[in-house]
Amino acid sequence: MTAVQGTDVDIATADGVADAYLAHPADGLPHPGVLFYQDAFGIRPHLKAMADRLAGEGYTVLVPNVFYRHGRTPVFDLPEFIDPSADPTIWQQIMPVMMSLTPELTDRDSAAYLDWLAQSPLVADGPVAITGYCMGARLAMRTAAAFPDRVAAAGGFHGGRMVTEDADSPHLLAGRVTAELYFGFADQDQSMTEEQIRTFQEALDTAGVRNTCEIYRGADHGYTQADTPAYSAEASERHWEALLGLLKRTF
């Protein structure tokens, strides 16, 4: 692990300014870029620690506040340990904000995030990779589909609602993806059943997408998030092994 520097940055978008966290090796040299998509709880100490760990492996990691239209980080007033079952008002805060982030807004924002990475002297030339968590897995899939020439790999972990009845369901985007994909699903996740996982992988396979879809047995939705009850140390370390393997194959 190399020494890491973390800073807050602002990203100009078509609709305003998105605040973000940037983590990168402290050598000041350009490194492969990784766009890191948050879960619903947003940028907070745990997410920054994850970005720092990834940067320590030799990557420049950008974590945008995808809810920037609703305010700068922290968008929500959350406790250090986030347990929605103990405080249902947490989801009352978050759900309307999540629902307001439409696919159209996501694509517009992701263009700005990719432009920022392309222009940063801390990012090596060429396509970037993406990693996303919970809702961030859907964002990763959308961005890989919207910008196939700019995304070389994408990982999604404990992603839900990757297969829906909607016309904009993430699995329907498979034909536009050229990146290698890795998805680690939780078998205790009611937002992504094993039948939906099969449908998702079939869509990727049919489209000829290089992919690995795995089911983490005994894991809950949110298994990488150490500041929530869903956290599993074993599943989280498995995710790190998979993500770093994907990145090493890519760069």
Side-chain angles (χ1 to χ4, degrees):
M1 295 284 286
T2 61
V4 169
Q5 182 176 347
T7 56
D8 295 323
V9 299
D10 284 343
I11 302 170
T13 75
D15 299 326
V17 175
D19 57 299
Y21 179 70
L22 180 72
H24 59 90
D27 57 15
L29 298 174
H31 293 270
V34 179
L35 177 57
F36 183 126
Y37 278 129
Q38 64 177 67
D39 63 356
F41 301 134
I43 301 175
R44 57 198 191 280
H46 171 64
L47 228 60
K48 290 183 176 182
M50 291 180 70
D52 289 348
R53 176 169 175 176
L54 191 51
E57 297 288 343
Y59 303 99
T60 295
V61 185
L62 181 69
V63 191
N65 168 21
V66 301
F67 297 147
Y68 70 89
R69 292 176 181 84
H70 299 268
R72 296 180 70 86
T73 301
V75 178
F76 309 114
D77 182 19
L78 299 177
E80 287 187 22
F81 188 77
I82 306 167
D83 185 358
S85 66
D87 182 6
T89 65
I90 289 175
W91 283 124
Q92 293 173 19
Q93 291 183 64
I94 294 173
M95 285 304 296
V97 176
M98 280 184 62
M99 297 301 292
S100 72
L101 187 62
T102 64
E104 292 76 21
L105 294 180
T106 295
D107 290 350
R108 210 151 68 212
D109 290 345
S110 58
Y113 306 150
L114 292 173
D115 285 347
W116 193 96
L117 286 167
Q119 294 162 12
S120 172
L122 296 170
V123 179
D125 292 340
V128 303
I130 306 174
T131 186
Y133 301 86
C134 298
M135 62 167 279
R138 294 195 300 277
L139 301 183
M141 182 69 178
R142 283 208 65 85
T143 303
F147 302 96
D149 57 331
R150 304 180 70 177
V151 178
F157 300 92
H158 43 80
R161 294 183 55 78
M162 302 295 294
V163 173
T164 71
E165 298 296 326
D166 300 333
D168 58 5
S169 174
H171 80 290
L172 299 177
L173 301 172
R176 295 162 55 186
V177 174
T178 59
E180 179 180 351
L181 303 183
Y182 176 93
F183 283 88
F185 296 105
D187 75 336
Q188 302 300 306
D189 188 350
Q190 297 305 309
S191 66
M192 194 67 184
T193 65
E194 293 206 23
E195 180 181 357
Q196 289 171 318
I197 294 169
R198 284 194 297 272
T199 299
F200 182 75
Q201 183 158 19
E202 287 169 4
L204 298 182
D205 291 343
T206 299
V209 178
R210 291 169 297 153
N211 77 91
T212 304
C213 293
E214 295 185 325
I215 298 175
Y216 289 29
R217 299 292 175 188
D220 291 316
H221 181 78
Y223 58 75
T224 63
Q225 304 301 302
D227 55 357
T228 75
Y231 178 67
S232 163
E234 179 180 358
S236 180
E237 287 307 309
R238 179 179 173 183
H239 129 269
W240 281 114
E241 182 178 349
L243 175 59
L244 292 174
L246 174 66
L247 296 179
K248 288 174 182 174
R249 290 194 299 276
T250 302
F251 298 117

